[in-house]
Amino acid sequence: MANLLWLQGGACSGNTMSFLNAEEPSVCDLVTDFGINILWHPSLGEELGEAVVNKLHACISGELPLDIFVFEGTVINGPDGSGSWNRFAGRPVKDWVNDLADIADYVVAVGDCASWGGIPATAPNPTDSEGLQFLKKAHGGALGTDFKSKAGLPVINIPGCPAHPDWISQILVAIATGRASEIALDDLQRPKTFFTSFTQTGCTRNMHFSYKVAATEFGQRKGCLFYDLGCRGPMTHSPCNRILWNRQASKTRVGMPCLGCTEPEFPFFDLAPGTVFKSQTVMGFPKDLPAGIDKIGYMKLTAAAKQAAPQWAEDDIFLI
């Protein structure tokens, strides 16, 4: 039996809503089949008021063992480092986070905000928000660079806005069944099993990408969304086109560009006007190139691809 406690900081509850839609395994499976005991969750916990406070203190004192501490949302430090803009159970949430992280065997950051601050931490960051162990790409965050949980791991980051439900549930299962040592993390502390490949992997528009055939508006069933609509699929680490949402879809499959929400720089260009849903270029050349290709290589590839593009690359291949 693994005891799990889930708290929220500066959050929209999007990751909770995503988590409740998990299918492989489902939230019910976590409890009935994999021995996860949910001590408390803001949307699932039965306790209110003083009963919640007592349970939190029981964890911190060691009376109630805490195997997995899950945090959703940003750690809010404002104003002036006090954290008073985000209070829960009589204290700033940041204080609960520090105390619970210190005694938990494993600490899991769910979603972009908990991982590295997300949208709330975008400049000028009025709430002084940060992630558990990162602020954007800078290592440190609320718990500090050197933090390790009692099991010896740093914070396990499961980013996304929101994170896919099965990314969350599968990592929780690995921890609860004693396989946490098999969770290899990348340099941003994301599980490699999900975040080694790119969003473009498995994208149904890859042939359009190869032949430089562009989609020019949302919902078009042909054309790559990278060239005109700002899709960050070629530069974003995620399995969104391998592990489909609701087992059938992804943003790119329905004609919506990837926004790169699993990367610490999200939202890109600090949401400046004209930067969302629009590819950024300099003299017609993309500012950000697909991973692993240089400018000269890209120019050569573009010229060759446009010349070699067959007519069928312009056809709508989806007949239904």
Side-chain angles (χ1 to χ4, degrees), residues 210-212 301-309:
S210 298
Y211 289 119
K212 306 298 180 279
L301 179 64
T302 297
K306 286 186 174 180
Q307 192 140 26

Side-chain angles (χ1 to χ4, degrees), residues 17-35:
M17 288 187 280
S18 179
F19 174 60
L20 294 176
N21 282 291
E23 294 183 63
E24 294 184 0
S26 70
V27 176
C28 291
D29 292 337
L30 294 179
V31 176
T32 60
D33 296 347
F34 296 102

Side-chain angles (χ1 to χ4, degrees), residues 159-245:
C161 194
H164 191 292
D166 294 344
W167 307 346
I168 305 169
S169 61
Q170 288 179 31
I171 292 301
L172 295 181
V173 164
I175 295 172
T177 56
R179 294 183 294 112
S181 61
E182 299 175 16
I183 302 174
L185 303 178
D186 67 12
D187 58 349
L188 294 171
Q189 297 168 204
R190 301 173 296 193
K192 286 185 177 181
T193 187
F194 299 126
F195 297 101
T196 298
S197 64
F198 293 91
T199 307
Q200 188 179 19
T201 306
C203 179
T204 54
R205 298 168 185 265
N206 276 339
M207 70 171 183
H208 299 117
F209 174 80
S210 298
Y211 289 119
K212 306 298 180 279
V213 177
T216 55
E217 59 185 50
F218 298 145
Q220 281 185 330
R221 297 192 293 181
K222 65 172 185 175
C224 179
L225 301 148
F226 169 72
Y227 302 107
D228 287 345
L229 297 178
C231 181
R232 301 196 63 85
M235 299 88 82
T236 298
H237 295 86
S238 92
C240 288
N241 278 302
R242 291 192 294 115
I243 302 174
L244 298 178
W245 292 75

Side-chain angles (χ1 to χ4, degrees), residues 74 112-122 129-131 134-136 266:
T74 65
D112 230 46
C113 293
S115 296
W116 25 70
I119 291 175
T122 300
S129 283
E130 59 187 346
F134 284 85
L135 174 55
K136 298 301 183 179
F266 172 81

Side-chain angles (χ1 to χ4, degrees), residues 55-126:
K55 183 161 281 191
L56 293 173
H57 282 299
C59 289
I60 293 169
S61 69
E63 176 188 344
L64 195 55
L66 180 56
D67 301 292
I68 309 170
F69 173 43
V70 178
F71 189 68
E72 170 184 10
T74 65
V75 178
I76 292 177
N77 294 297
D80 302 320
S82 68
S84 294
W85 281 341
N86 186 203
R87 296 178 64 83
F88 174 73
R91 302 173 71 199
V93 169
K94 64 176 289 187
D95 294 342
W96 288 117
V97 166
N98 280 291
D99 288 347
L100 291 166
D102 280 345
I103 53 88
D105 288 337
Y106 299 93
V107 178
V108 180
V110 171
D112 230 46
C113 293
S115 296
W116 25 70
I119 291 175
T122 300
N125 192 1

